[in-house]
Structure formats: C-alpha cells, structure tokens
Amino acid sequence: MKKLFQPFAIISKQTFLIMVVSQVILALLLWHISSDGLMPQPGKVLAALAHLSTTKVLIDNVLTSLALTVQAMLYAIVITLIIAYLSVLPFFKGIALFIVKCRYLTLAGLIFVFTLLTQNGSALKLWLLICGIVPFFVTSFLSVIIHIPQQEYDLCKTLGYNRWRILYEVIIIGKADKVLEILQHNFAISWLMITMVEGLSMSEGGIGALLIKYNKYNDLTNVLALQLLIFLLGLFFDYLLATIRSWLFPYTRSQKTS
C-alpha cells in the first residue's frame, strides 16, 4: 500500500489494474450519489448508450464520422511526411517551421476562407480537419528528426552513402515506426475536432451533428451517452494503432519494456 504513494515506485500489473478498477467504481459511486436530478445518473447514461447502440441512426453517424476522420488522417500524414522529409533541405526548412507555428491558428477564424475555397460541405469539413491536424503532425515528426543521434548519420557517412541515401536510410526507413506512433498520439486531436467540423454541415450526419441535435433539445442523457461512446472509440483506436505498430515493427516492444 505504501508504494502507491511513493515517487517512482514500481507496482505489479495486477495491483495497477485493481487500483484503476477501484478508482473507476469510486468515481461512478460519487457520480451516482451527487446526481441532483439535473445530471443523469450513470445507470441512465449506460442504458441510453445501450439503446443508441442498437439503432441504425447511431451506427450510420459513427461510420460517417470514422470515414471522415480516416480520410483526413491519411491526407494529413502524407502531407506531413512530404513537409518533414523536405525540411532537411534549407529551402524548405522555413516552410516547415511556419507550419509548426500554425498550431496557434484558430480554425474558427478560417471557416469563411475555406468555405470560399471548397465546393461543398463535405470538402469544407475534410480540409478544416486536415489543416487542424497537419501542424501537430509536423511538430511531432520534426521533433523525431531533431533528436536522431549524430552517430546514425556518421555511420552512413562511414559506409559511403551520399546525402540522399542518408536521408532515405536514417529518416525515411529508419524512423518509419515513428509515423505510426505519431498517428497514435495525435489521433485524439482529429477525433476531438470531428464533432466541431461536423457541426458546420449537418446534412451528411456524423457524431458531431447528432451531439448538436441532442444539445439543442437539452437531452443531457443522450449527450453523455454519445460522449462516452466517443471516449470508448478513441481508446479502441489508440489500442489498435499501438497493436499495428508493434506488429509491423516488433523491435518497438523491447523499447517499451527497456
């Protein structure tokens, strides 16, 4: 028990699991007790989620949101890789650094600009999502490139590789596993943004459109049920991406345990 309150203490996986389950149960009990009628109790939220899960409306909207998110992620990672790989060329380094600073741009002020540049609501949502994701992707991958040990470059020089071959071996091939790691760590950003961009064009549906609909009618039970679903789906995709990374790059497992 003392270890739980000691800095840097190491506990077993079983102890950690028991602790987490106990904390979740305690949080649900406090939520149940503190509900005053305005805030729905956990049981009602779970019942609403179970009911929604059996409806075609929820399934269709979830699939719509997932399709948009995956499409935006694929475009964003391709754009990110191009920018990151070119950043080692002095001519493109300034462009890459500028995109990194674009993290501080709010999309709310760019909606009108993107509306003029896109042809329909679907394209508007897609490009807003891409532009919201890319700066964070580029920031993460540039950090990977910056922290590559000098020994890796020196080894390639010793082997007689030219500069383009060094780029290919050290960054493109050598850090391929980091691409999936960046996807895993930044998926939450796109998954959080999806509800915002879907509210701009509700005709195509999506979880965001469904949330706005329930918020409009103050249906807090279904709102919390949808929030719980979004949270669980986020955890699932985080686990899925981590599993795919471990499968494609087995050596990353030893990096986690070391």
Side-chain angles (χ1 to χ4, degrees), residues 132-207:
I133 299 171
V134 166
F136 293 95
F137 275 24
V138 173
T139 302
S140 299
F141 204 79
L142 287 185
S143 177
V144 170
I145 294 175
I146 291 171
H147 290 93
I148 294 176
Q150 183 61 37
Q151 292 88 335
E152 296 187 26
Y153 296 108
D154 294 338
L155 175 60
C156 290
K157 291 177 182 178
T158 303
L159 294 174
Y161 295 163
N162 60 37
R163 298 193 178 195
W164 290 103
R165 180 71 183 276
I166 293 175
L167 168 63
Y168 176 77
E169 294 290 344
V170 176
I171 298 179
I172 298 178
I173 297 298
K175 300 304 174 185
D177 65 295
K178 296 297 182 181
V179 176
L180 279 175
E181 184 178 357
I182 290 169
L183 276 174
Q184 179 189 353
H185 292 171
N186 291 281
F187 178 81
I189 298 172
S190 58
W191 195 231
L192 285 173
M193 289 180 59
I194 191 70
T195 54
M196 184 274 288
V197 298
E198 284 179 337
L200 300 175
S201 179
M202 299 176 61
S203 59
E204 297 177 349
I207 298 179

Side-chain angles (χ1 to χ4, degrees), residues 16 30-31 35 37 51 66 80 83-86 92 94 99 111 119 133 136 140 147 162-163 173 210 226 255:
F16 179 76
L30 291 174
W31 180 4
S35 297
H51 173 70
L66 287 176
T80 296
I83 294 171
Y85 294 153
L86 290 177
F92 294 99
I99 292 175
I111 292 176
Q119 299 177 348
I133 299 171
F136 293 95
S140 299
H147 290 93
N162 60 37
R163 298 193 178 195
I173 297 298
L210 207 56
L226 282 176
Q255 292 175 356

Side-chain angles (χ1 to χ4, degrees), residues 9-245:
I10 300 176
I11 60 176
S12 64
K13 291 183 178 180
Q14 184 180 4
T15 302
F16 179 76
L17 181 61
I18 293 173
M19 179 187 66
V20 170
V21 171
S22 301
Q23 290 172 343
V24 170
I25 293 174
L26 178 61
L28 291 175
L29 285 174
L30 291 174
W31 180 4
H32 179 81
I33 295 171
S34 61
S35 297
D36 55 0
L38 296 177
M39 179 69 69
Q41 295 177 334
K44 292 183 178 179
V45 174
L46 291 175
L49 178 59
H51 173 70
L52 285 172
S53 300
T54 60
T55 61
K56 189 174 183 297
V57 173
L58 179 64
I59 296 173
D60 290 342
N61 281 284
V62 168
L63 291 176
T64 299
S65 295
L66 287 176
L68 178 60
T69 303
V70 171
Q71 187 180 7
M73 292 280 284
L74 290 176
Y75 278 113
I77 199 64
V78 170
I79 295 171
T80 296
L81 292 178
I82 293 173
I83 294 171
Y85 294 153
L86 290 177
S87 69
V88 299
L89 305 177
F91 181 82
F92 294 99
K93 187 175 182 179
I95 298 174
L97 293 177
F98 171 75
I99 292 175
V100 168
K101 302 304 180 184
C102 288
R103 291 174 299 165
Y104 302 103
L105 279 177
T106 171
L107 292 180
L110 300 175
I111 292 176
F112 180 72
V113 176
F114 279 96
T115 302
L116 295 177
L117 296 176
T118 53
Q119 299 177 348
N120 50 53
S122 178
L124 171 64
K125 292 187 293 185
L126 176 63
W127 284 105
L128 277 175
L129 201 55
I130 291 172
C131 290
I133 299 171
V134 166
F136 293 95
F137 275 24
V138 173
T139 302
S140 299
F141 204 79
L142 287 185
S143 177
V144 170
I145 294 175
I146 291 171
H147 290 93
I148 294 176
Q150 183 61 37
Q151 292 88 335
E152 296 187 26
Y153 296 108
D154 294 338
L155 175 60
C156 290
K157 291 177 182 178
T158 303
L159 294 174
Y161 295 163
N162 60 37
R163 298 193 178 195
W164 290 103
R165 180 71 183 276
I166 293 175
L167 168 63
Y168 176 77
E169 294 290 344
V170 176
I171 298 179
I172 298 178
I173 297 298
K175 300 304 174 185
D177 65 295
K178 296 297 182 181
V179 176
L180 279 175
E181 184 178 357
I182 290 169
L183 276 174
Q184 179 189 353
H185 292 171
N186 291 281
F187 178 81
I189 298 172
S190 58
W191 195 231
L192 285 173
M193 289 180 59
I194 191 70
T195 54
M196 184 274 288
V197 298
E198 284 179 337
L200 300 175
S201 179
M202 299 176 61
S203 59
E204 297 177 349
I207 298 179
L210 207 56
L211 269 175
I212 292 174
K213 174 186 173 182
Y214 287 130
N215 267 313
K216 181 179 179 181
Y217 296 103
N218 295 321
D219 190 349
L220 189 56
T221 302
N222 280 324
V223 168
L224 292 179
L226 282 176
Q227 293 281 20
L228 178 59
L229 176 64
I230 292 170
F231 177 70
L232 293 176
L233 285 173
L235 292 180
F236 168 74
F237 281 102
D238 183 79
Y239 173 78
L240 180 63
L241 289 170
T243 303
I244 293 174
R245 179 172 177 249

